[in-house]
Amino acid sequence: MPVSEAWQQRLTDARTDRQQAHRWRTRQVVKSNTLDFAGNDYLGLAQDPRVCEAQAEGARRYGAGAGASHLVSGHLEVHDALEDALAQWTGRERALLFSTGYMANLGVLQSLADRHTAIFQDRLNHASLIDGATLSGARLRRYHHRNSNDLARLLERSERQHKLVVSDGVFSMDGDVAEIATLAHVSQRHNAWLMIDDAHGVGVLGENGSGCAGGVTSQDVPILVGTLGKALGTAGAFVAGDAELIDHLIQFSRSYVYTTAQPPAIAAATLKALEIVQGEPEHRAQLNANIAYFRRAALPLGLPLSDSATPIQPLLLDSETRVMTWAARLAQQSIYVGAIRPPTVPNGEARLRITLSAKHSHSDIDRLLEGLNSCQREEAACHVTA
Ligand SMILES: *Cc1c(COP(=O)(O)O)cnc(C)c1O
């Protein structure tokens, strides 16, 4: 078989497999008049005119791009100022900017772990954490979701000298929160370091919005990852920790060293977003009020709510067909929710991933609930006629 035919066959096989599993994914161009219950812009900062203006002003002052990597000539004063602000916010000595959360996780794990290391991860951790562990060559063990006994059991059995425990802070598809204090305790008892990826917690949880590990010392959580593309409304990520950790990352994280620095205008916008998060707690209060409103109103409808107190409110519909049908029906009403299927979640756990924002009004949430209720009624009607 000629080379190109072999490749064509490979792509066709992959496509056929996925299509037969009804898991072929498509993108939709999102129009501006839709009601978005799928995104991660929890505080509405991506649309905040002050953040947008800071970005425009940042571009005028520093240019449209950084022009080089941080270690060459791309590290500008605005990046430095943002790192200082992030370190202070999270109560850490230093912080280091990465271009995305995916790259931050790859860079941390690849630079800290090697084949002599054992990495222990919650089963529901984000894909970037799993990929980072694979890239590092470390031995990867996965413990049952939020189960510190299972974690302790695996740690006990490990003879590796360096052990690293890794968990999402807020779990991205379930909305539940890791028990940081317990994880810290178990990790310390087994001489392991703890890394928390709080992509969905920063900006949302904690007294000053610094997430589920921001108020915890670097003794308990030595490695804290946060992303800027969710509640902060911009793009990029950071790692916060002691100076020695940050120096190590600057030297050895390949996804930090070998990439162009974040556009300085994004850093300028993020500084403004951070100022708003710290100075205007009312947005977090509004978000929490919206979460409570949604849950209170959803309860009498008998929707399969999960036990989540965060803006991530999954509806476990189990069947992938149901998830796709409900999402399509909502989309017809210009309401967007996440239709999440394996392999993003385990088999049999397909769900609608509903996310709430401080910017939703009660009538927006009413419209969503009315839409969800109509999906239920439609299903019931089908069962009667069938
Ligand atoms: C979104 C997400 C990431 C990736 O962050 P990006 O900046 O979008 O690349 C990493 N970890 C978790 C838990 C996430 O939810």
Side-chain angles (χ1 to χ4, degrees):
M1 198 171 5
V3 173
S4 69
E5 254 177 60
W7 275 110
Q8 210 148 43
Q9 193 59 48
R10 189 189 154 108
L11 268 54
T12 305
D13 289 349
R15 171 189 282 268
T16 308
D17 277 359
R18 214 165 239 199
Q19 284 177 335
Q20 280 175 352
H22 302 289
R23 284 179 188 168
W24 190 256
R25 301 171 185 220
T26 55
R27 304 173 305 170
Q28 354 186 353
V29 177
V30 176
K31 300 182 207 83
S32 56
N33 63 348
T34 57
L35 200 43
D36 188 347
F37 285 99
N40 306 308
D41 180 22
Y42 302 122
L43 302 174
L45 290 177
Q47 305 296 333
D48 189 293
R50 296 167 292 177
V51 177
C52 297
E53 180 49 34
Q55 187 160 325
E57 171 57 24
R60 281 190 291 268
R61 184 179 324 176
Y62 301 102
S69 66
H70 283 278
L71 286 173
V72 179
S73 61
H75 188 69
L76 309 184
E77 62 183 0
V78 68
H79 295 122
D80 219 56
L82 177 56
E83 289 182 343
D84 286 348
L86 289 166
Q88 195 171 27
W89 186 44
T90 54
R92 300 298 196 271
E93 277 179 12
R94 302 262 305 272
L96 187 69
L97 279 176
F98 280 77
S99 296
T100 70
Y102 190 98
M103 291 168 71
N105 285 337
L106 291 194
V108 169
L109 293 172
Q110 162 269 319
S111 68
L112 287 178
D114 60 18
R115 59 197 179 82
H116 303 294
T117 313
I119 298 180
F120 304 83
Q121 297 212 23
D122 189 291
R123 269 187 194 284
L124 297 190
N125 274 357
H126 191 259
S128 56
L129 292 167
I130 306 301
D131 293 356
T134 306
L135 180 65
S136 76
R139 178 165 174 75
L140 172 62
R141 308 305 313 265
R142 298 174 80 174
Y143 58 89
H144 296 314
H145 180 48
R146 293 175 72 229
N147 186 330
S148 52
N149 291 331
D150 195 41
L151 169 62
R153 185 180 63 82
L154 294 176
L155 280 165
E156 235 141 68
R157 291 207 315 222
S158 171
E159 309 209 317
R160 305 282 162 124
Q161 192 181 2
H162 296 108
K163 304 184 188 92
L164 185 60
V165 174
V166 185
S167 177
D168 280 18
V170 174
F171 288 88
S172 51
M173 296 300 139
D174 291 74
D176 53 350
V177 185
E179 285 173 20
I180 304 292
T182 312
L183 284 175
H185 180 75
V186 172
S187 300
Q188 282 166 23
R189 219 175 56 217
H190 293 89
N191 263 325
W193 250 9
L194 175 59
M195 168 180 181
I196 297 293
D197 170 4
D198 205 18
H200 295 274
V202 294
V204 171
L205 299 179
E207 211 158 291
N208 62 355
S210 64
C212 67
V216 181
T217 64
S218 70
Q219 180 78 16
D220 284 339
V221 178
I223 309 162
L224 173 56
V225 176
T227 65
L228 308 174
K230 287 162 182 161
L232 272 297
T234 58
F238 66 92
V239 181
D242 289 348
E244 203 172 8
L245 169 74
I246 301 303
D247 280 339
H248 181 88
L249 297 177
I250 294 172
Q251 297 302 315
F252 300 110
S253 272
R254 295 171 65 84
S255 63
Y256 180 78
V257 175
Y258 299 107
T259 199
T260 301
Q262 178 185 64
I266 305 288
T270 309
L271 265 173
K272 178 56 76 179
L274 190 54
E275 188 186 309
I276 295 170
V277 165
Q278 291 180 289
E280 301 176 8
E282 57 268 30
H283 306 299
R284 271 195 305 287
Q286 184 58 52
L287 174 60
N288 285 323
N290 284 352
I291 295 167
Y293 181 82
F294 169 79
R295 289 185 66 84
R296 213 179 318 116
L299 209 56
L301 302 180
L303 293 165
L305 281 183
S306 293
D307 194 15
S308 161
T310 67
I312 301 167
Q313 295 287 327
L315 287 187
L316 287 154
L317 300 180
D318 306 326
S319 125
E320 295 175 40
T321 315
R322 276 182 92 197
V323 164
M324 299 316 284
T325 309
W326 286 41
R329 197 182 162 88
L330 290 167
Q332 279 167 6
Q333 305 166 44
S334 299
I335 301 171
Y336 279 97
V337 299
I340 311 290
R341 297 173 284 168
T344 304
V345 291
N347 278 325
E349 293 186 20
R351 67 198 61 192
L352 292 183
R353 178 178 179 271
I354 292 163
T355 52
L356 296 165
S357 142
K359 289 292 176 287
H360 289 134
S361 65
H362 281 187
S363 81
D364 292 338
I365 297 172
D366 291 341
R367 237 180 90 194
L368 168 68
L369 288 161
E370 181 46 44
L372 291 166
N373 205 23
S374 76
C375 293
Q376 278 197 138
R377 282 199 306 266
E378 179 88 346
E379 259 180 6
C382 285
H383 283 302
V384 171
T385 50

